[in-house]
């Protein structure tokens, strides 16, 4: 534990505390036939995280939490591995596996250093997992190491614009004011909890992907449907209907 980077130790402690608040969502998502994504539950048909067939592919979920995304991939015929930093989140994942009769390896560890050989996977995915809570310089390089040439990395996280406008007061939604500088943006700590998040300007993501051997295929800016709801107070539907609060990156290993 002591050899873990400081942000990984802090996020481990925070996610072990938060895990009980994610059980109900885990039960709902594991029971779903069709994937829905992000804080608004936008259907896969509109988001397209799985645009390519993953049948018989080796897939890894980086920061799998309760592992419902991994379960959706396993049901689609992929050989799946999930890795997560929180034992409590993984405890829910194990319980869900038993309940649904779906089994795949769940590793407890840091997605910045995955105990698998290079070029073990065809597909890597993260939904608000390592892509938000791990250091981009480390986890993107690690995803590049894990993927075979031609392999795809897809992730969904808060948009860059939301990171500029999000309030640091708990329970207060983002406004249409820019609250923090864009230049130099990387690590963000909110005063209300222990967690450490990472947000990059788009140009920095692109340069990082290039350095790590990825070609950018798409950057999707998600718009929730007019009737969408969320349990998260940090953004309103009115805001998210005007500006993207979530983004989906798709990059491919050269
Ligand atoms: C919001 S959950 C993501 C899982 C799921 N898709 C969801 O939306 O609930 C965030 C997860 O990222 C995990 N996480 C944070 N930092 C991580 C790291 N460095 N390596 C692996 N997992 C990490 C946390 O333990 C937590 O379970």
């Amino acid at each position: 534990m002591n050899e873990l980077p400081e942000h990984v130790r802090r996020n481990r402690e925070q996610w072990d505390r938060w895990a009980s608040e994610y059980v109900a969502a885990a039960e709902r998502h594991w029971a779903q036939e069709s994937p829905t994504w992000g804080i608004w539950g936008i259907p896969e048909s509109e988001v397209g995280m799985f645009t390519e067939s993953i049948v018989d592919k080796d897939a890894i979920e980086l920061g799998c939490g309760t592992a419902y995304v991994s379960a959706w991939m396993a049901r689609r015929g992929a050989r799946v591995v999930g890795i997560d930093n929180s034992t409590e989140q993984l405890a829910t994942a194990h319980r869900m596996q038993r309940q649904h009769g779906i089994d795949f390896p769940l590793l407890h560890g840091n997605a910045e250093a995955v105990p698998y050989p290079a070029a073990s996977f065809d597909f890597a995915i993260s939904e608000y997992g390592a892509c938000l809570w791990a250091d981009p310089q480390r986890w993107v390089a690690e995803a590049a190491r894990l993927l075979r040439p031609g392999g795809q990395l897809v992730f969904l996280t808060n948009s860059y614009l939301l990171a500029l406008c999000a309030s640091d007061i708990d329970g207060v939604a983002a406004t249409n004011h820019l609250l923090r500088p864009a230049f130099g943006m990387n690590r963000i700590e909110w005063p209300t909890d222990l967690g450490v998040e990472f947000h990059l300007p788009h140009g920095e993501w692109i340069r990082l992907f290039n350095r790590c051997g990825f070609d950018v295929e798409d950057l999707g800016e998600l718009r929730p449907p007019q009737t969408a709801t969320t349990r998260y107070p940090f953004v309103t539907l009115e805001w998210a209907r005007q500006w993207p609060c979530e983004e989906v990156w798709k990059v491919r290993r050269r």
Side-chain angles (χ1 to χ4, degrees):
M1 174 96 169
N2 277 342
E3 65 275 15
L4 288 173
E6 176 250 7
H7 64 279
V8 178
R9 263 187 284 130
R10 283 175 53 169
N11 284 336
R12 179 169 289 187
E13 198 178 322
Q14 185 60 62
W15 273 101
D16 281 343
R17 286 187 203 169
W18 272 331
S20 60
E21 297 171 28
Y22 284 75
V23 172
E27 287 170 348
R28 203 172 55 246
H29 284 123
W30 269 80
Q32 273 178 214
E33 279 302 314
S34 320
T36 54
W37 299 99
I39 65 165
W40 303 102
I42 308 178
E44 166 63 10
S45 55
E46 284 176 44
V47 179
M49 300 283 281
F50 297 142
T51 43
E52 290 177 10
S53 167
I54 49 174
V55 178
D56 278 335
K57 297 270 173 75
D58 294 302
I60 183 161
E61 185 180 2
L62 301 168
C64 63
T66 58
Y68 55 83
V69 173
S70 293
W72 294 335
M73 294 196 291
R75 287 192 190 123
R76 286 170 178 245
R79 285 179 296 278
V80 177
V81 174
I83 181 165
D84 199 274
N85 191 26
S86 157
T87 42
E88 296 301 320
Q89 287 276 83
L90 290 174
T92 306
H94 280 294
R95 190 163 60 75
M96 291 293 105
Q97 282 191 326
R98 288 193 295 277
Q99 196 171 311
H100 288 267
I102 300 177
D103 196 28
F104 46 82
L106 287 168
L107 311 180
H108 180 226
N110 175 11
E112 298 167 356
V114 178
Y116 267 71
S120 292
F121 297 95
D122 307 296
F123 187 69
I125 191 165
S126 177
E127 183 208 29
Y128 285 120
C131 61
L132 176 60
W133 304 96
D135 180 344
Q137 308 300 326
R138 300 183 193 212
W139 81 263
V140 173
E142 183 63 344
R145 186 188 72 80
L146 291 167
L147 283 169
R148 300 177 179 128
Q152 198 186 32
L153 166 65
V154 175
F155 65 91
L156 185 161
T157 189
N158 296 131
S159 74
Y160 169 44
L161 194 56
L162 182 70
L164 294 172
C165 298
S167 170
D168 55 12
I169 303 168
D170 209 14
V172 173
T175 68
N176 57 1
H177 294 107
L178 302 172
L179 298 180
R180 52 194 62 81
F183 293 117
M185 182 186 281
N186 179 36
R187 172 180 166 134
I188 296 188
E189 293 168 46
W190 305 105
T192 45
D193 58 63
L194 269 181
V196 179
E197 296 181 5
F198 294 87
H199 300 271
L200 295 184
H202 290 160
E204 290 201 23
W205 276 121
I206 290 169
R207 284 186 290 279
L208 174 60
F209 295 137
N210 277 329
R211 276 200 306 279
C212 292
F214 285 112
D215 290 328
V216 176
E217 295 194 320
D218 195 28
L219 169 58
E221 292 159 322
L222 300 190
R223 189 182 200 198
Q226 241 157 3
T227 54
T229 56
T230 184
R231 70 184 175 108
Y232 297 95
F234 59 79
V235 64
T236 62
L237 183 62
E238 189 191 4
W239 197 103
R241 291 279 303 159
Q242 294 180 80
W243 302 286
C245 76
E246 298 180 305
E247 58 193 39
V248 173
W249 286 92
K250 294 184 183 178
V251 299
R252 192 170 302 274
R253 187 75 173 95
R254 286 194 280 273

